[in-house]
Each structure stands twice: as structure tokens, then as C-alpha cells.
Amino acid sequence: MAHATAVRKSRHLHLELPALPYAQDALAPIISAETLQFHHGKHHRKYVETANQLLEKDPVEARSLEELLRELVRKESSQKLYNNAAQAWNHDFYWHSLSPEGGKPSAPLRHQLERDFGSYEKFVDKFAAAATGQFGSGWAWLVKKDGRLEVMGTANAETPMTQGIQCLLTLDVWEHAYYIDYRNQRERYVKATLEKLLNWEFAERNLG
Ligand code: FE
């Protein structure tokens, strides 16, 4: 992703909270400015700050957030740092997975969805089922794996990126993503977001 998630400061990695790629009210009324104020300004910020505090105490040699995550998986070290750093990466990926101009995929990507899911509608059903059915906190993903598009769910901070899987889009299904706007009705948040906000241009860029 071409954005400044991490900069090198002194000897070790220091993460920065990236700006939202749109105005705080740009996704309203589907996702309100108040939700983004808390979700980006408090939750995402906290993951970045906690990761930085842990890195201050126990520096890890890495030049980017991605490299840090791969290094932590390789060493099976510091679950707390991994969780916070993975959440920093997941949230940045999530902001880019949404767009006020979101909606439907372009013809080439639509054809890939039809090839691998049967139809665009079947993809939507499968993604919605993964997002709605994720028990507790987690994420729903559109990924490319072994040459095919697939839907995946991950729990808590877990991210397909560290498994070497190509991520195209994600949806945050932690309660903090929807509770202000939809209370406990995750299904309504998922449906509205899939219909109106998915950033298919971002998905295409991730396909490379
Ligand atoms: Fe979140």
C-alpha cells in the first residue's frame, strides 16, 4: 500500500497513525462521522500507540509495519505487540477498503468474481455470511489464494497478510465498527457497507 504507516525514527521502528483517506463524514449515513471519530481517532490510534510503547521497550529490527508483522510471526514472539501491530495494519487496510464512491466492481474484476463464486450476488452472500457469522470480534476478507478469489474470516487481530495471502478488501466486524450507528445489528452494517461502500478500485490495485 502506498501510504505512510511507518517511518524509521532513531534505531527502531516507529508507527504513525495514517490519516483517513477521506473526510470523517464522507461515509455517512452508512458509517457516521461519530463512528469514524471514535474508530479511527480512538481505537486505531490506541493500537498504534500501544505498538509504539512496546517497540520502545523492546525494539524490533524492521523497516515497515509489514516487515515487523512477518518478523513477529517468524519468531513467534510478543503476542501483545503482534495484536496491536496487526490491528494497525488491518485498520489502515479497512479505511482503504471503503470509499464514498464505492459500490460495484468493474468488468474485469466482476468476471473474476463470477468465475470463482458463480456470480457477483453469490460473492456478496458469501462475504456477508463470513462477516455476519464471525463469532465475536474479527474481520471478513476478500483474498486471492492459489490464483482464485476467496472469502475468509479471521478472529480478533488475525490477518491473512502474515500468512502470505494476497488481501484485496476487508470489513471490520468488531462491535466498535458499527455499535454507534447500528447498535447490535451487525447484519445491517454489513449489508449497507457491501452495497454502497466497497472500494473496488482498491481491490484492483491490490490484485496488481
Ligand atoms: Fe476496528
mmCIF file of all heavy atoms in Angstrom, residues 43-83:
data_model
loop_
_atom_site.group_PDB
_atom_site.id
_atom_site.type_symbol
_atom_site.label_atom_id
_atom_site.label_comp_id
_atom_site.label_asym_id
_atom_site.label_seq_id
_atom_site.Cartn_x
_atom_site.Cartn_y
_atom_site.Cartn_z
ATOM 1 N N HIS A 43 -9.764 4.147 18.589
ATOM 2 C CA HIS A 43 -9.364 2.731 18.544
ATOM 3 C C HIS A 43 -8.088 2.520 17.720
ATOM 4 O O HIS A 43 -7.133 1.919 18.196
ATOM 5 C CB HIS A 43 -10.506 1.868 17.994
ATOM 6 C CG HIS A 43 -11.690 1.813 18.908
ATOM 7 N ND1 HIS A 43 -11.759 0.959 19.985
ATOM 8 C CD2 HIS A 43 -12.843 2.531 18.920
ATOM 9 C CE1 HIS A 43 -12.900 1.134 20.622
ATOM 10 N NE2 HIS A 43 -13.580 2.090 19.994
ATOM 11 N N HIS A 44 -8.103 2.990 16.466
ATOM 12 C CA HIS A 44 -6.924 2.791 15.618
ATOM 13 C C HIS A 44 -5.709 3.486 16.259
ATOM 14 O O HIS A 44 -4.619 2.922 16.327
ATOM 15 C CB HIS A 44 -7.203 3.345 14.214
ATOM 16 C CG HIS A 44 -6.153 3.017 13.198
ATOM 17 N ND1 HIS A 44 -6.275 3.342 11.879
ATOM 18 C CD2 HIS A 44 -4.933 2.408 13.309
ATOM 19 C CE1 HIS A 44 -5.188 2.944 11.219
ATOM 20 N NE2 HIS A 44 -4.365 2.383 12.069
ATOM 21 N N ARG A 45 -5.917 4.709 16.766
ATOM 22 C CA ARG A 45 -4.826 5.445 17.404
ATOM 23 C C ARG A 45 -4.222 4.645 18.576
ATOM 24 O O ARG A 45 -3.015 4.579 18.745
ATOM 25 C CB ARG A 45 -5.314 6.806 17.910
ATOM 26 C CG ARG A 45 -4.206 7.658 18.551
ATOM 27 C CD ARG A 45 -4.760 8.953 19.119
ATOM 28 N NE ARG A 45 -5.404 9.774 18.105
ATOM 29 C CZ ARG A 45 -4.750 10.572 17.257
ATOM 30 N NH1 ARG A 45 -3.435 10.671 17.323
ATOM 31 N NH2 ARG A 45 -5.412 11.273 16.357
ATOM 32 N N LYS A 46 -5.105 4.021 19.359
ATOM 33 C CA LYS A 46 -4.648 3.270 20.535
ATOM 34 C C LYS A 46 -3.776 2.068 20.128
ATOM 35 O O LYS A 46 -2.781 1.771 20.782
ATOM 36 C CB LYS A 46 -5.871 2.808 21.339
ATOM 37 C CG LYS A 46 -5.556 2.072 22.612
ATOM 38 C CD LYS A 46 -5.151 3.012 23.730
ATOM 39 C CE LYS A 46 -4.927 2.242 25.021
ATOM 40 N NZ LYS A 46 -4.139 3.031 25.961
ATOM 41 N N TYR A 47 -4.165 1.391 19.043
ATOM 42 C CA TYR A 47 -3.348 0.260 18.579
ATOM 43 C C TYR A 47 -1.938 0.751 18.200
ATOM 44 O O TYR A 47 -0.936 0.114 18.527
ATOM 45 C CB TYR A 47 -3.991 -0.425 17.367
ATOM 46 C CG TYR A 47 -5.308 -1.106 17.651
ATOM 47 C CD1 TYR A 47 -6.442 -0.826 16.887
ATOM 48 C CD2 TYR A 47 -5.425 -2.046 18.679
ATOM 49 C CE1 TYR A 47 -7.661 -1.449 17.143
ATOM 50 C CE2 TYR A 47 -6.631 -2.675 18.932
ATOM 51 C CZ TYR A 47 -7.749 -2.371 18.165
ATOM 52 O OH TYR A 47 -8.941 -2.992 18.406
ATOM 53 N N VAL A 48 -1.898 1.871 17.482
ATOM 54 C CA VAL A 48 -0.610 2.428 17.049
ATOM 55 C C VAL A 48 0.221 2.842 18.267
ATOM 56 O O VAL A 48 1.411 2.522 18.362
ATOM 57 C CB VAL A 48 -0.840 3.633 16.097
ATOM 58 C CG1 VAL A 48 0.456 4.388 15.828
ATOM 59 C CG2 VAL A 48 -1.464 3.156 14.780
ATOM 60 N N GLU A 49 -0.416 3.526 19.224
ATOM 61 C CA GLU A 49 0.312 3.993 20.409
ATOM 62 C C GLU A 49 0.824 2.829 21.259
ATOM 63 O O GLU A 49 1.955 2.856 21.747
ATOM 64 C CB GLU A 49 -0.583 4.911 21.252
ATOM 65 C CG GLU A 49 -0.782 6.269 20.604
ATOM 66 C CD GLU A 49 -1.761 7.163 21.360
ATOM 67 O OE1 GLU A 49 -2.364 6.692 22.355
ATOM 68 O OE2 GLU A 49 -1.935 8.318 20.939
ATOM 69 N N THR A 50 -0.037 1.809 21.425
ATOM 70 C CA THR A 50 0.389 0.653 22.234
ATOM 71 C C THR A 50 1.541 -0.078 21.554
ATOM 72 O O THR A 50 2.513 -0.466 22.213
ATOM 73 C CB THR A 50 -0.796 -0.307 22.471
ATOM 74 O OG1 THR A 50 -1.856 0.437 23.061
ATOM 75 C CG2 THR A 50 -0.419 -1.455 23.391
ATOM 76 N N ALA A 51 1.454 -0.250 20.238
ATOM 77 C CA ALA A 51 2.542 -0.909 19.499
ATOM 78 C C ALA A 51 3.830 -0.105 19.687
ATOM 79 O O ALA A 51 4.902 -0.677 19.935
ATOM 80 C CB ALA A 51 2.195 -1.039 18.022
ATOM 81 N N ASN A 52 3.740 1.221 19.605
ATOM 82 C CA ASN A 52 4.944 2.059 19.773
ATOM 83 C C ASN A 52 5.531 1.948 21.178
ATOM 84 O O ASN A 52 6.753 1.898 21.342
ATOM 85 C CB ASN A 52 4.626 3.519 19.448
ATOM 86 C CG ASN A 52 4.613 3.761 17.939
ATOM 87 O OD1 ASN A 52 5.291 3.057 17.185
ATOM 88 N ND2 ASN A 52 3.849 4.736 17.505
ATOM 89 N N GLN A 53 4.657 1.916 22.186
ATOM 90 C CA GLN A 53 5.156 1.761 23.568
ATOM 91 C C GLN A 53 5.911 0.447 23.720
ATOM 92 O O GLN A 53 6.968 0.386 24.352
ATOM 93 C CB GLN A 53 3.988 1.798 24.563
ATOM 94 C CG GLN A 53 3.460 3.214 24.812
ATOM 95 C CD GLN A 53 2.058 3.210 25.412
ATOM 96 O OE1 GLN A 53 1.544 2.163 25.798
ATOM 97 N NE2 GLN A 53 1.438 4.384 25.471
ATOM 98 N N LEU A 54 5.362 -0.622 23.124
ATOM 99 C CA LEU A 54 6.007 -1.933 23.223
ATOM 100 C C LEU A 54 7.328 -1.944 22.448
ATOM 101 O O LEU A 54 8.307 -2.550 22.884
ATOM 102 C CB LEU A 54 5.065 -3.030 22.725
ATOM 103 C CG LEU A 54 3.801 -3.214 23.589
ATOM 104 C CD1 LEU A 54 2.781 -4.081 22.865
ATOM 105 C CD2 LEU A 54 4.155 -3.836 24.937
ATOM 106 N N LEU A 55 7.344 -1.247 21.304
ATOM 107 C CA LEU A 55 8.574 -1.187 20.498
ATOM 108 C C LEU A 55 9.656 -0.358 21.190
ATOM 109 O O LEU A 55 10.851 -0.615 21.008
ATOM 110 C CB LEU A 55 8.267 -0.589 19.113
ATOM 111 C CG LEU A 55 7.578 -1.527 18.119
ATOM 112 C CD1 LEU A 55 7.006 -0.740 16.943
ATOM 113 C CD2 LEU A 55 8.544 -2.601 17.616
ATOM 114 N N GLU A 56 9.229 0.657 21.952
ATOM 115 C CA GLU A 56 10.193 1.467 22.723
ATOM 116 C C GLU A 56 10.917 0.588 23.741
ATOM 117 O O GLU A 56 12.128 0.678 23.913
ATOM 118 C CB GLU A 56 9.465 2.567 23.513
ATOM 119 C CG GLU A 56 8.913 3.708 22.691
ATOM 120 C CD GLU A 56 9.994 4.695 22.266
ATOM 121 O OE1 GLU A 56 11.013 4.784 22.976
ATOM 122 O OE2 GLU A 56 9.816 5.346 21.222
ATOM 123 N N LYS A 57 10.120 -0.261 24.411
ATOM 124 C CA LYS A 57 10.675 -1.114 25.466
ATOM 125 C C LYS A 57 11.526 -2.233 24.897
ATOM 126 O O LYS A 57 12.521 -2.629 25.463
ATOM 127 C CB LYS A 57 9.533 -1.737 26.298
ATOM 128 C CG LYS A 57 9.074 -0.844 27.443
ATOM 129 C CD LYS A 57 8.155 -1.596 28.387
ATOM 130 C CE LYS A 57 6.718 -1.453 27.964
ATOM 131 N NZ LYS A 57 5.752 -2.212 28.697
ATOM 132 N N ASP A 58 11.050 -2.758 23.760
ATOM 133 C CA ASP A 58 11.683 -3.941 23.197
ATOM 134 C C ASP A 58 11.752 -3.799 21.674
ATOM 135 O O ASP A 58 10.922 -4.351 20.953
ATOM 136 C CB ASP A 58 10.824 -5.163 23.600
ATOM 137 C CG ASP A 58 11.593 -6.448 23.471
ATOM 138 O OD1 ASP A 58 12.784 -6.396 23.106
ATOM 139 O OD2 ASP A 58 10.990 -7.510 23.716
ATOM 140 N N PRO A 59 12.737 -3.048 21.183
ATOM 141 C CA PRO A 59 12.810 -2.739 19.746
ATOM 142 C C PRO A 59 12.919 -3.980 18.865
ATOM 143 O O PRO A 59 13.514 -4.980 19.267
ATOM 144 C CB PRO A 59 14.079 -1.897 19.622
ATOM 145 C CG PRO A 59 14.357 -1.396 20.988
ATOM 146 C CD PRO A 59 13.837 -2.431 21.936
ATOM 147 N N VAL A 60 12.314 -3.903 17.692
ATOM 148 C CA VAL A 60 12.396 -4.996 16.719
ATOM 149 C C VAL A 60 12.962 -4.400 15.435
ATOM 150 O O VAL A 60 12.526 -3.336 15.001
ATOM 151 C CB VAL A 60 10.988 -5.579 16.432
ATOM 152 C CG1 VAL A 60 11.056 -6.652 15.353
ATOM 153 C CG2 VAL A 60 10.380 -6.153 17.708
ATOM 154 N N GLU A 61 13.929 -5.080 14.860
ATOM 155 C CA GLU A 61 14.515 -4.607 13.611
ATOM 156 C C GLU A 61 13.541 -4.839 12.464
ATOM 157 O O GLU A 61 13.280 -5.975 12.091
ATOM 158 C CB GLU A 61 15.827 -5.354 13.333
ATOM 159 C CG GLU A 61 17.067 -4.689 13.888
ATOM 160 C CD GLU A 61 17.271 -3.245 13.418
ATOM 161 O OE1 GLU A 61 17.118 -2.982 12.212
ATOM 162 O OE2 GLU A 61 17.560 -2.376 14.272
ATOM 163 N N ALA A 62 12.975 -3.760 11.950
ATOM 164 C CA ALA A 62 12.058 -3.870 10.810
ATOM 165 C C ALA A 62 11.957 -2.496 10.173
ATOM 166 O O ALA A 62 12.044 -1.482 10.863
ATOM 167 C CB ALA A 62 10.687 -4.343 11.270
ATOM 168 N N ARG A 63 11.787 -2.464 8.847
ATOM 169 C CA ARG A 63 11.723 -1.176 8.154
ATOM 170 C C ARG A 63 10.309 -0.728 7.869
ATOM 171 O O ARG A 63 10.070 0.379 7.422
ATOM 172 C CB ARG A 63 12.511 -1.263 6.834
ATOM 173 C CG ARG A 63 14.018 -1.205 7.025
ATOM 174 C CD ARG A 63 14.734 -1.643 5.794
ATOM 175 N NE ARG A 63 14.310 -3.000 5.426
ATOM 176 C CZ ARG A 63 14.820 -3.707 4.444
ATOM 177 N NH1 ARG A 63 15.756 -3.193 3.688
ATOM 178 N NH2 ARG A 63 14.385 -4.934 4.183
ATOM 179 N N SER A 64 9.351 -1.630 8.082
ATOM 180 C CA SER A 64 7.963 -1.271 7.803
ATOM 181 C C SER A 64 7.057 -2.084 8.719
ATOM 182 O O SER A 64 7.490 -3.070 9.332
ATOM 183 C CB SER A 64 7.606 -1.588 6.344
ATOM 184 O OG SER A 64 7.634 -2.988 6.149
ATOM 185 N N LEU A 65 5.806 -1.673 8.766
ATOM 186 C CA LEU A 65 4.824 -2.408 9.569
ATOM 187 C C LEU A 65 4.674 -3.838 9.056
ATOM 188 O O LEU A 65 4.596 -4.790 9.832
ATOM 189 C CB LEU A 65 3.483 -1.652 9.514
ATOM 190 C CG LEU A 65 2.290 -2.262 10.229
ATOM 191 C CD1 LEU A 65 2.599 -2.556 11.693
ATOM 192 C CD2 LEU A 65 1.099 -1.301 10.132
ATOM 193 N N GLU A 66 4.670 -3.992 7.738
ATOM 194 C CA GLU A 66 4.536 -5.331 7.148
ATOM 195 C C GLU A 66 5.705 -6.224 7.565
ATOM 196 O O GLU A 66 5.510 -7.383 7.935
ATOM 197 C CB GLU A 66 4.480 -5.233 5.605
ATOM 198 C CG GLU A 66 3.191 -4.661 5.055
ATOM 199 C CD GLU A 66 3.131 -3.135 5.081
ATOM 200 O OE1 GLU A 66 4.114 -2.492 5.555
ATOM 201 O OE2 GLU A 66 2.116 -2.582 4.655
ATOM 202 N N GLU A 67 6.910 -5.653 7.478
ATOM 203 C CA GLU A 67 8.101 -6.424 7.845
ATOM 204 C C GLU A 67 8.071 -6.788 9.332
ATOM 205 O O GLU A 67 8.426 -7.899 9.714
ATOM 206 C CB GLU A 67 9.342 -5.584 7.517
ATOM 207 C CG GLU A 67 10.593 -6.399 7.346
ATOM 208 C CD GLU A 67 11.783 -5.517 6.964
ATOM 209 O OE1 GLU A 67 11.735 -4.892 5.877
ATOM 210 O OE2 GLU A 67 12.737 -5.446 7.754
ATOM 211 N N LEU A 68 7.622 -5.840 10.149
ATOM 212 C CA LEU A 68 7.509 -6.093 11.596
ATOM 213 C C LEU A 68 6.581 -7.283 11.855
ATOM 214 O O LEU A 68 6.913 -8.190 12.617
ATOM 215 C CB LEU A 68 6.966 -4.843 12.301
ATOM 216 C CG LEU A 68 6.574 -5.026 13.770
ATOM 217 C CD1 LEU A 68 7.807 -5.268 14.641
ATOM 218 C CD2 LEU A 68 5.812 -3.799 14.281
ATOM 219 N N LEU A 69 5.427 -7.289 11.194
ATOM 220 C CA LEU A 69 4.451 -8.361 11.423
ATOM 221 C C LEU A 69 5.015 -9.715 10.994
ATOM 222 O O LEU A 69 4.861 -10.713 11.701
ATOM 223 C CB LEU A 69 3.146 -8.057 10.677
ATOM 224 C CG LEU A 69 2.313 -6.931 11.307
ATOM 225 C CD1 LEU A 69 1.215 -6.475 10.365
ATOM 226 C CD2 LEU A 69 1.727 -7.396 12.634
ATOM 227 N N ARG A 70 5.678 -9.745 9.849
ATOM 228 C CA ARG A 70 6.256 -11.016 9.378
ATOM 229 C C ARG A 70 7.340 -11.505 10.337
ATOM 230 O O ARG A 70 7.454 -12.694 10.615
ATOM 231 C CB ARG A 70 6.817 -10.846 7.960
ATOM 232 C CG ARG A 70 5.706 -10.647 6.948
ATOM 233 C CD ARG A 70 6.180 -10.847 5.513
ATOM 234 N NE ARG A 70 5.114 -10.425 4.609
ATOM 235 C CZ ARG A 70 5.085 -9.259 3.978
ATOM 236 N NH1 ARG A 70 6.065 -8.405 4.117
ATOM 237 N NH2 ARG A 70 4.069 -8.949 3.194
ATOM 238 N N GLU A 71 8.112 -10.552 10.843
ATOM 239 C CA GLU A 71 9.184 -10.878 11.782
ATOM 240 C C GLU A 71 8.598 -11.464 13.080
ATOM 241 O O GLU A 71 9.105 -12.444 13.630
ATOM 242 C CB GLU A 71 9.980 -9.595 12.063
ATOM 243 C CG GLU A 71 11.243 -9.756 12.864
ATOM 244 C CD GLU A 71 12.314 -10.594 12.175
ATOM 245 O OE1 GLU A 71 12.178 -10.921 10.987
ATOM 246 O OE2 GLU A 71 13.278 -10.955 12.872
ATOM 247 N N LEU A 72 7.512 -10.855 13.563
ATOM 248 C CA LEU A 72 6.891 -11.328 14.809
ATOM 249 C C LEU A 72 6.299 -12.719 14.634
ATOM 250 O O LEU A 72 6.368 -13.549 15.542
ATOM 251 C CB LEU A 72 5.807 -10.342 15.270
ATOM 252 C CG LEU A 72 6.310 -8.962 15.724
ATOM 253 C CD1 LEU A 72 5.141 -8.017 15.968
ATOM 254 C CD2 LEU A 72 7.160 -9.080 16.988
ATOM 255 N N VAL A 73 5.730 -12.987 13.455
ATOM 256 C CA VAL A 73 5.175 -14.321 13.185
ATOM 257 C C VAL A 73 6.309 -15.343 13.115
ATOM 258 O O VAL A 73 6.221 -16.431 13.685
ATOM 259 C CB VAL A 73 4.365 -14.315 11.865
ATOM 260 C CG1 VAL A 73 4.046 -15.727 11.412
ATOM 261 C CG2 VAL A 73 3.080 -13.526 12.046
ATOM 262 N N ARG A 74 7.390 -14.952 12.437
ATOM 263 C CA ARG A 74 8.526 -15.857 12.268
ATOM 264 C C ARG A 74 9.117 -16.249 13.623
ATOM 265 O O ARG A 74 9.418 -17.404 13.867
ATOM 266 C CB ARG A 74 9.598 -15.171 11.405
ATOM 267 C CG ARG A 74 10.669 -16.077 10.838
ATOM 268 C CD ARG A 74 11.617 -15.307 9.942
ATOM 269 N NE ARG A 74 12.395 -14.293 10.653
ATOM 270 C CZ ARG A 74 13.469 -14.550 11.409
ATOM 271 N NH1 ARG A 74 13.883 -15.787 11.559
ATOM 272 N NH2 ARG A 74 14.126 -13.578 12.002
ATOM 273 N N LYS A 75 9.222 -15.257 14.508
ATOM 274 C CA LYS A 75 9.838 -15.523 15.806
ATOM 275 C C LYS A 75 8.855 -16.031 16.852
ATOM 276 O O LYS A 75 9.258 -16.363 17.964
ATOM 277 C CB LYS A 75 10.455 -14.231 16.348
ATOM 278 C CG LYS A 75 11.722 -13.811 15.666
ATOM 279 C CD LYS A 75 12.268 -12.586 16.377
ATOM 280 C CE LYS A 75 13.589 -12.119 15.829
ATOM 281 N NZ LYS A 75 13.881 -10.747 16.262
ATOM 282 N N GLU A 76 7.565 -15.995 16.514
ATOM 283 C CA GLU A 76 6.504 -16.358 17.466
ATOM 284 C C GLU A 76 6.698 -15.589 18.776
ATOM 285 O O GLU A 76 6.565 -16.152 19.873
ATOM 286 C CB GLU A 76 6.497 -17.867 17.736
ATOM 287 C CG GLU A 76 6.104 -18.678 16.515
ATOM 288 C CD GLU A 76 6.092 -20.164 16.787
ATOM 289 O OE1 GLU A 76 6.133 -20.565 17.971
ATOM 290 O OE2 GLU A 76 6.019 -20.936 15.825
ATOM 291 N N SER A 77 7.048 -14.295 18.652
ATOM 292 C CA SER A 77 7.325 -13.520 19.856
ATOM 293 C C SER A 77 6.237 -12.476 20.091
ATOM 294 O O SER A 77 5.503 -12.115 19.184
ATOM 295 C CB SER A 77 8.678 -12.826 19.720
ATOM 296 O OG SER A 77 8.659 -11.989 18.589
ATOM 297 N N SER A 78 6.155 -12.018 21.297
ATOM 298 C CA SER A 78 5.271 -10.938 21.744
ATOM 299 C C SER A 78 3.895 -10.898 21.078
ATOM 300 O O SER A 78 3.670 -10.169 20.126
ATOM 301 C CB SER A 78 5.952 -9.586 21.567
ATOM 302 O OG SER A 78 5.086 -8.586 22.077
ATOM 303 N N GLN A 79 2.986 -11.678 21.634
ATOM 304 C CA GLN A 79 1.613 -11.705 21.126
ATOM 305 C C GLN A 79 0.955 -10.325 21.249
ATOM 306 O O GLN A 79 0.209 -9.905 20.373
ATOM 307 C CB GLN A 79 0.798 -12.742 21.911
ATOM 308 C CG GLN A 79 -0.599 -12.996 21.362
ATOM 309 C CD GLN A 79 -0.590 -13.644 19.975
ATOM 310 O OE1 GLN A 79 0.236 -14.524 19.721
ATOM 311 N NE2 GLN A 79 -1.460 -13.198 19.085
ATOM 312 N N LYS A 80 1.293 -9.598 22.313
ATOM 313 C CA LYS A 80 0.661 -8.290 22.525
ATOM 314 C C LYS A 80 1.096 -7.300 21.444
ATOM 315 O O LYS A 80 0.279 -6.561 20.899
ATOM 316 C CB LYS A 80 1.022 -7.761 23.926
ATOM 317 C CG LYS A 80 0.201 -6.545 24.307
ATOM 318 C CD LYS A 80 0.446 -6.093 25.730
ATOM 319 C CE LYS A 80 -0.369 -4.847 26.022
ATOM 320 N NZ LYS A 80 0.002 -4.222 27.294
ATOM 321 N N LEU A 81 2.386 -7.304 21.133
ATOM 322 C CA LEU A 81 2.868 -6.420 20.061
ATOM 323 C C LEU A 81 2.262 -6.855 18.730
ATOM 324 O O LEU A 81 1.818 -6.017 17.943
ATOM 325 C CB LEU A 81 4.408 -6.433 20.002
ATOM 326 C CG LEU A 81 5.033 -5.638 18.850
ATOM 327 C CD1 LEU A 81 4.597 -4.166 18.884
ATOM 328 C CD2 LEU A 81 6.565 -5.734 18.898
ATOM 329 N N TYR A 82 2.237 -8.166 18.468
ATOM 330 C CA TYR A 82 1.642 -8.652 17.220
ATOM 331 C C TYR A 82 0.188 -8.191 17.100
ATOM 332 O O TYR A 82 -0.229 -7.683 16.066
ATOM 333 C CB TYR A 82 1.710 -10.186 17.134
ATOM 334 C CG TYR A 82 1.018 -10.704 15.888
ATOM 335 C CD1 TYR A 82 1.691 -10.755 14.677
ATOM 336 C CD2 TYR A 82 -0.335 -11.071 15.921
ATOM 337 C CE1 TYR A 82 1.050 -11.170 13.527
ATOM 338 C CE2 TYR A 82 -0.979 -11.487 14.760
ATOM 339 C CZ TYR A 82 -0.287 -11.538 13.569
ATOM 340 O OH TYR A 82 -0.936 -11.933 12.425
ATOM 341 N N ASN A 83 -0.591 -8.362 18.168
ATOM 342 C CA ASN A 83 -2.014 -7.992 18.120
ATOM 343 C C ASN A 83 -2.197 -6.514 17.799
ATOM 344 O O ASN A 83 -3.013 -6.143 16.963
ATOM 345 C CB ASN A 83 -2.700 -8.303 19.450
ATOM 346 C CG ASN A 83 -2.956 -9.790 19.624
ATOM 347 O OD1 ASN A 83 -2.956 -10.548 18.664
ATOM 348 N ND2 ASN A 83 -3.162 -10.204 20.862
#
